[in-house]
Amino acid sequence: MGHPTSTMKVISKISEMQEISKEIHKKNISIGFVPTMGALHKGHISLIDIAKKHSRFVVVSIFVNPTQFGPKEDFNKYPRTLTKDLELLSEKKIDILFAPTDKEMYPKGYGTYIDVPDFSNKLCGKSRPTHFKGVCTIVAKLFNIVSPDIAVFGEKDAQQVVILKKMIKDLNFPTKIITGQIIREPNGLAMSSRNKYLTDKQKQNASIIYKTLRETANKINKGERNIPKLKKFIKDGILTKMTHSSPSENSLKIDYIEIINKNNLQQPKTLKGECLIAVAVWYGKTRLIDNITVNC
Ligand code: AMP
């Protein structure tokens, strides 16, 4: 348990995971939890490091959750690299990998879903209308299975963090959410399991997204407060530079560009406090999201 020589246990049964969590809690040991969909990268690893700092017993889950994918989305082709993930996780010396099957999580007749409509119909929710319902449902189920004291989520999915915090508050989950900053490739591209869909050239070009976000943050820091002007700067920056440097590399389409209050995702009249600049871009068939926080 959190000991250098301990070995990781892989569990696929809900009842077994619940039993272990109960035993750990009986010993007054805190449980830290990192839910993932696998195809692990340094972003996931950074969350595991945070969990280890906060708790003696660390559980990671890998489950490609079908209910958070829309009917035309990439559920079937989502990268599944369990052997490599297992290697990475045993190097990290976590205590448990919980990796259930679809049937274990959603048996025949499953019928309960959790919705946080206030925050789920904007940003990513506009083009993925059922996504956050799936996310909330699986996270609530995982919390009931793992009983974590803390759970770590990435700022990369900033809207997800806001929605899950609301769900936890509204449904009185005893779990505290801790967030980890976005881990990036050396060129600035936010790490993502979906980056596996990109060619090397596309990965290089996609770094323009973060460059543009940084330039926009600089403009705000220098006093620019005109939201439509800032949004136009982002749109032009991404479209012009990414298309220019790769006219042959598939189509580029902006899904959304938002500059909003980070805590309630509302569009403010004037920028103040913690502001989130968030974008989603379709690069060929790959949807990329990124964001940056600016203190206004
Ligand atoms: P996923 O496996 O994509 O569902 O992500 C699992 C967790 O890792 C979520 O909390 C994500 O926000 C987080 N995550 C994904 N990419 C990154 C990244 N580049 N940096 C930090 N956290 C990340």
Side-chain angles (χ1 to χ4, degrees), residues 34-38 40-44 46-47 68 78 152-157 160 180-184 190-193:
V34 182
T36 82
M37 296 207 299
L40 301 178
H41 51 69
K42 286 181 187 154
H44 298 114
S46 72
L47 305 185
Q68 70 188 67
Y78 193 84
V152 193
F153 292 87
E155 289 282 354
K156 160 108 190 309
D157 299 278
Q160 171 171 282
Q181 63 177 38
I182 303 176
I183 304 299
R184 300 178 178 281
M191 288 195 181
S192 162
S193 307

Side-chain angles (χ1 to χ4, degrees), residues 208-209 212 232-246 251-255 257 281-282:
I208 287 165
I209 298 169
T212 311
K232 185 170 182 317
F233 174 79
I234 300 170
K235 186 176 169 200
D236 292 349
I238 291 177
L239 286 180
T240 318
K241 288 184 206 147
M242 270 174 83
T243 315
H244 180 72
S245 56
S246 67
S251 62
L252 184 68
K253 207 174 134 244
I254 305 251
D255 183 6
I257 297 168
V281 171
W282 279 103

Side-chain angles (χ1 to χ4, degrees), residues 4 12 19 30 48 77 87 97 187 199 207 211 229 266:
S12 60
E19 207 46 55
S30 70
I48 294 172
K77 73 164 188 170
E87 270 171 34
L97 166 63
N187 71 5
T199 63
S207 68
K211 267 192 209 111
K229 205 167 149 185
Q266 298 289 338

Side-chain angles (χ1 to χ4, degrees), residues 257-276:
I257 297 168
E258 296 289 352
I259 304 178
I260 47 179
N261 179 302
K262 187 174 176 173
N263 299 310
N264 61 18
L265 307 180
Q266 298 289 338
Q267 168 83 73
K269 282 212 174 65
T270 48
L271 294 176
K272 57 173 186 280
E274 263 198 321
C275 295
L276 183 78

